[in-house]
Amino acid sequence: MKLLLRRGLAMKIKAIVFDMDDTLYDEKDYVQSGLTVLDNWVKFKFKVNGFYETAMTLFEAGERESLFNKTFELLKIRADKKTMNEMLNRYRAHIPQIKLFDDVNWVLSNLTKEIKVGLLSDGHIEQQANKVRALRIRGRFHSIILSDRFGRQNWKPSSVPYEHMCMALEVSHYDCLYIGSNVSKDFITAKRLGWKTVHIDRGNNNFPHTIEDKEYAAHYKINNLQKLSHISEFKHLFIKKAEFVYS
């Protein structure tokens, strides 16, 4: 009963929390950056050309889980498990050539000073930390939580990272807005905890996720983050309304 009463009070959002991959930047850029590093390594180690082109062709065709293995098969490269693990570690450890989407820069630059800003992201911790470093965003967020620090079992949709984010920002669940791109895990727990949610879908489908169950869907779905300033319950987050928003 207390939860129902509190939700009925039309509380204003006090904190905006972002996912990272395909939300703050284009993950395809990360893949291209990593494959470029591996292409140089493969040329040196195996004296074989074409790793980047072959891997990107597979990626564009939808291959994800076995990208490295299938690339090696097509290039007729034999590699043991140790070599494949070395390649994966090199991919994760590289500092990527990535940048923020323009609409992300607009949002971060136009939030009112009262609004707290967080980043909550899954993934291998070294890999995600390198993305944060490459994007140069640490000074633009009040809290950055990489859920891998709590163990793989506490990646989204675990409630653990959401709980820690609220503690770090010193806000309640009902004060928070979560923005992400992965409908399979980003919104279901946030909604159950009382967060508002927004699905940013730019149509790039780098790592497509399709869930039919409505409980996984966000409260709102937009294709440009500037449109947040046009949603009535989020207008107070911004010092101005976006004058031009891409369709």
Side-chain angles (χ1 to χ4, degrees), residues 38-192:
L38 294 183
D39 185 70
N40 293 327
W41 177 74
V42 169
K43 287 177 183 176
F44 175 79
K45 187 174 181 68
F46 297 102
K47 312 303 179 188
V48 173
N49 295 321
F51 178 86
Y52 176 87
E53 293 79 8
T54 304
M56 276 308 301
T57 298
L58 288 170
F59 180 84
E60 296 283 9
E63 182 58 53
R64 299 294 184 268
E65 292 185 4
S66 301
L67 181 62
F68 297 162
N69 298 79
K70 291 189 175 181
T71 300
F72 270 27
E73 288 176 13
L74 291 173
L75 294 175
K76 296 180 171 53
I77 298 174
R78 293 184 178 181
D80 56 20
K81 185 176 181 180
K82 180 180 178 181
T83 300
M84 298 305 292
N85 285 337
E86 181 185 355
M87 183 165 63
L88 179 58
N89 289 335
R90 285 177 178 273
Y91 183 81
R92 288 174 170 170
H94 91 284
I95 304 300
Q97 298 296 311
I98 54 177
K99 63 179 182 178
L100 294 177
F101 284 117
D102 289 342
D103 60 341
V104 174
N105 264 320
W106 186 91
V107 168
L108 293 177
S109 299
N110 287 283
L111 290 171
T112 63
K113 63 181 181 180
E114 294 83 12
I115 301 303
K116 295 184 177 181
V117 187
L119 172 65
L120 194 168
S121 179
D122 287 341
H124 185 275
I125 195 162
E126 180 184 21
Q127 189 174 20
Q128 298 307 92
N130 285 340
K131 293 173 185 177
V132 170
R133 177 180 172 186
L135 292 170
R136 299 179 180 180
I137 54 175
R138 191 165 294 278
R140 305 181 77 176
F141 289 78
H142 295 95
S143 177
I144 293 178
I145 290 181
L146 305 179
S147 59
D148 198 39
R149 64 184 275 205
F150 307 117
R152 179 68 181 263
Q153 71 277 12
N154 286 314
W155 287 15
K156 294 173 291 181
S158 166
S159 64
V160 170
Y162 298 95
E163 298 280 2
H164 278 271
M165 181 59 72
C166 283
M167 288 189 287
L169 296 180
E170 299 181 316
V171 293
S172 75
H173 291 299
Y174 299 100
D175 296 326
C176 294
L177 164 64
Y178 191 73
I179 300 173
S181 59
N182 188 338
V183 294
S184 70
K185 62 177 182 177
D186 281 347
F187 314 119
I188 182 169
T189 300
K191 287 167 61 179
R192 287 175 178 171

